[in-house]
Amino acid sequence: MKVAEVRHILDTIGDLFPDAHCELNHSNAFELTIAVLLSAQCTDATVNKVTVDLFQKYKAPIDYISVPLEELEGDIRRIGLYRNKAKHIQSLCSILIEQYGGEVPEAHDLLVTLPGVGRKTANVVVSNAFGVPAIAVDTHVERVAKRLALAGLKDSVLEVEKRLMKAVPRDEWTITHHRLIFFGRYHCKAQNPKCQVCPLLDVCREGKKRMKTAVVRKAKDHTPKS
């Protein structure tokens, strides 16, 4: 895709969501790491409901490993996969205490070695907590990137990330990540995207297909029956 076309997409989404930001509530790098870990296969809204009380009860890594696993499981029971996530949290906290003085490491290659922390989580943490440019690819970012031809339809999550990093100026990686999420979450939804009012319909292969199908269906509905 040409630089001008990418610029058009970025500017258009930027106009729609100029104030896009991380919607996971947190006050420091540690809380953000826990929140992102909990958000896997779960909505940010649900995570925020749980962390309101969770972050009041658990202030530091030592707090999470000072309670029985069953108690932590109960505190995050509303979160999907809560049993595995509780185990990851306690293991992660033990490592933070033993190896990093209770602090979340800033280096991406160290973050991804922590239990429950994958590449996406590490990207979110380094960009939002430490100000390091990064593009975290979640389901929204992947869907939007593929629909707008910023990535190939068969690209893996890592390939989508690499394509976006190549196409988007580095100093815009983090804000682009947030804006793509907002665009996918509130406009270009997986089901019933707002194609009919989308300012990027001209460059969206998915939107063109959907609108064409809608026109054909409408024509059939208005065809006189013999």
Side-chain angles (χ1 to χ4, degrees):
M1 181 175 288
K2 297 179 180 179
V3 174
E5 294 174 325
V6 174
R7 189 73 264 162
H8 168 60
I9 291 173
L10 297 182
D11 289 345
T12 302
I13 294 178
D15 289 341
L16 287 174
F17 301 103
D19 301 318
H21 58 277
C22 177
E23 292 193 296
L24 288 170
N25 295 332
H26 65 282
S27 59
N28 54 55
F30 176 60
E31 288 186 352
L32 178 60
T33 302
I34 298 298
V36 182
L37 187 158
L38 292 174
S39 72
Q41 299 183 42
C42 183
T43 66
D44 287 0
T46 298
V47 173
N48 286 337
K49 290 177 182 177
V50 170
T51 56
V52 167
D53 295 325
L54 193 72
F55 292 161
Q56 286 295 316
K57 180 177 181 179
Y58 304 96
K59 301 291 187 179
I62 189 65
D63 299 325
Y64 284 95
I65 63 174
S66 297
V67 300
L69 178 62
E70 294 74 17
E71 183 174 341
L72 179 56
E73 288 178 349
D75 291 332
I76 63 171
R77 188 174 296 275
R78 284 183 288 173
I79 300 286
L81 306 174
Y82 70 91
R83 288 193 175 90
N84 282 337
K85 291 177 181 178
K87 292 178 182 177
H88 286 322
I89 289 172
Q90 288 198 332
S91 297
L92 179 150
C93 288
S94 294
I95 292 174
L96 292 184
I97 293 170
E98 294 167 5
Q99 299 183 23
Y100 303 106
E103 300 293 330
V104 174
E106 295 186 22
H108 189 280
D109 58 342
L110 295 179
L111 281 167
V112 294
T113 66
L114 298 174
V117 177
R119 187 174 182 86
K120 184 199 80 172
T121 299
N123 282 343
V124 172
V125 173
V126 298
S127 61
N128 290 279
F130 302 123
V132 178
I135 297 179
V137 179
D138 67 355
T139 55
H140 299 298
V141 174
E142 180 180 7
R143 179 175 67 255
V144 170
K146 290 182 176 181
R147 285 180 174 177
L148 296 177
L150 291 169
L153 292 175
K154 295 183 179 181
D155 282 353
S156 66
V157 171
L158 180 57
E159 288 171 333
V160 172
E161 180 185 335
K162 289 181 177 179
R163 286 182 183 272
L164 289 173
M165 289 170 66
K166 184 177 181 180
V168 179
R170 189 174 187 276
D171 62 349
E172 296 181 43
W173 285 358
T174 300
I175 188 60
T176 294
H177 153 72
H178 292 311
R179 287 173 176 171
L180 289 176
I181 288 178
F182 269 53
F183 187 70
R185 181 176 288 160
Y186 303 113
H187 183 86
C188 189
K189 303 177 183 180
Q191 303 296 328
N192 301 315
K194 301 177 181 180
C195 301
Q196 67 277 10
V197 295
C198 184
L200 289 174
L201 182 61
D202 61 321
V203 295
C204 180
R205 47 192 170 194
E206 174 72 14
K208 290 177 181 177
K209 183 170 65 176
R210 284 176 176 269
M211 294 303 292
K212 183 177 180 180
T213 301
V215 169
V216 172
R217 186 181 299 117
K218 185 176 182 180
K220 287 184 178 179
D221 290 342
H222 287 80
T223 299
K225 295 181 180 179
S226 56

